[in-house]
Amino acid sequence: MDNKRVALFPGSFDPFTKGHEDIVQRGLKLFDEIIIAIGYNSQKQNRYVPIDRMISLINQSFADEPRVSVITYNELTAGLANRLGAAYLLRGLRNTTDFEFENSVSQMNRYLYKELETVFLITSPAYAGISSSIIREVHKYGANVNEFLPYEL
Ligand code: ADP
C-alpha cells in the first residue's frame, strides 16, 4: 500500500481540456493514483470557469476512474506533493516553449523536495495545438469549443 505510485498533476486548468485529459489517461498507465491539483487563490477570483464548476466537470469526466481525484491548492506545489505523499509531478510538454519553462520549474521543485521527480509526457499530436488560453478567448466570443473539452462548457 505504502509504495503506491502517486502523481500530482498540477495546473490552472481554466478550463481542463482534452489535452489535459490525454495526459491523465496516459499517466494512469504509469501511476497508481493521479491527483489533479488546481492552483487557486480564493482572494484572487480571476478564473474564467468558476472553480466549483471546474471541479465538478473534471470529476464528471473521470466518474468511472476511481484512481483520479481533484483538489485545489494555494501553496508551493512541492510542499503539497510532500504533504500528500506524491513522489511524482506529472506535466505535459507541447513544444519548446513549454520545455524551457518546465525545465526551470522542475529543477526548483526538486531543490525544494529532493524526492520529487517530474515526469513529462509529450502531448499527443491531436492535442498539441490546444491551450486553455485560446479556448477561453474563443469561448468568450461565443464560439463552441466543446470539441476540445471532455465535457460541455
Ligand atoms: P499552468 O498554468 O501550470 O501552465 P495549465 O492548466 O495550462 O497549467 O496546464 C497544466 C499542464 O498541462 C501543463 O503541464 C501543461 O503543459 C499541460 N498541458 C496544457 N495543455 C496541454 C495540451 N493541449 N496537451 C497536453 N498537455 C497540456
Side-chain angles (χ1 to χ4, degrees):
M1 203 63 182
D2 272 339
N3 24 12
K4 257 204 322 187
R5 285 173 181 264
V6 180
L8 202 63
F9 183 34
S12 317
F13 306 116
D14 191 21
F16 190 90
T17 68
K18 279 190 181 171
H20 296 131
E21 182 193 35
D22 180 59
I23 298 294
V24 173
Q25 297 290 8
R26 289 162 56 204
L28 284 170
K29 295 178 195 153
L30 304 173
F31 304 110
D32 298 311
E33 198 185 310
I34 295 178
I35 304 167
I36 300 170
I38 311 178
Y40 175 67
N41 181 345
S42 57
Q43 305 303 309
K44 292 195 216 153
Q45 302 210 20
N46 53 359
R47 288 185 61 92
Y48 184 72
V49 180
I51 192 71
D52 291 345
R53 176 134 195 260
M54 199 65 255
I55 293 168
S56 94
L57 289 169
I58 299 174
N59 275 326
Q60 178 188 313
S61 309
F62 293 102
D64 296 331
E65 187 40 84
R67 296 189 294 138
V68 175
S69 57
V70 186
I71 60 171
T72 62
Y73 73 108
N74 182 21
E75 64 185 282
L76 279 175
T77 305
L80 176 73
N82 194 6
R83 207 153 53 69
L84 297 178
Y88 306 92
L89 290 182
L90 176 62
R91 297 284 287 176
L93 284 181
R94 283 167 292 190
N95 48 44
T96 53
T97 311
D98 276 356
F99 172 79
E100 296 289 345
F101 176 70
E102 296 292 340
N103 186 15
S104 330
V105 176
S106 72
Q107 303 293 354
M108 180 53 82
N109 281 329
R110 213 148 68 89
Y111 164 79
L112 293 168
Y113 168 25
K114 69 177 168 31
E115 303 301 322
L116 192 57
E117 290 290 358
T118 307
V119 174
F120 298 101
L121 296 183
I122 298 288
T123 303
S124 299
Y127 306 119
I130 304 177
S131 78
S132 298
S133 57
I134 291 175
I135 287 180
R136 285 198 298 274
E137 193 66 16
V138 169
H139 185 263
K140 187 167 82 180
Y141 293 108
N144 188 318
V145 291
N146 290 334
E147 160 124 14
F148 305 107
L149 307 173
Y151 48 81
E152 297 203 345
L153 198 59

